[in-house]
Amino acid sequence: MNKKLLNKAYYNGIREGIEQYAHWKDGVQYVGTCGFTLKEALARIDKEEKHAMKMLEMLEDRKEIKSELGYSRVGLDNV
């Protein structure tokens, strides 16, 4: 399976778990015992997912550049 799809599935699972165990207090949904609202927690997960996707894209770009360059003159796999 593609790393991006696995990443997407991972964060979807986190969202699902947080939504399942969120609780209501005074008309607002909260997550855990730290005082985060469900909306804040989901925004934080979205931010983390975007960062993870960006890192995966950078890794793919590096692999592509490495494959185009071939081997380093200094030694094997030093690119």
Side-chain angles (χ1 to χ4, degrees):
M1 189 179 232
N2 184 326
K3 286 185 180 182
K4 287 184 180 180
L5 290 175
L6 284 173
N7 189 52
K8 190 88 168 149
Y10 173 78
Y11 283 101
N12 284 339
I14 291 175
R15 282 186 197 90
E16 182 70 27
I18 286 178
E19 289 172 358
Q20 290 290 323
Y21 291 99
H23 60 278
W24 289 92
K25 182 180 177 187
D26 299 327
V28 179
Q29 257 185 315
Y30 289 96
V31 177
T33 58
C34 297
F36 282 109
T37 65
L38 179 59
K39 187 176 181 179
E40 291 169 337
L42 292 175
R44 186 173 173 184
I45 292 169
D46 290 342
K47 181 180 174 184
E48 288 179 17
E49 182 181 15
K50 286 178 185 176
H51 177 70
M53 285 298 222
K54 184 177 177 182
M55 297 305 286
L56 281 174
E57 288 172 4
M58 286 176 46
L59 181 63
E60 287 177 359
D61 288 345
R62 288 184 63 174
K63 285 182 180 179
E64 185 178 319
I65 290 170
K66 183 177 176 182
S67 70
E68 289 174 2
L69 291 175
Y71 294 110
S72 168
R73 292 181 191 163
V74 176
L76 297 177
D77 208 30
N78 284 337
V79 179

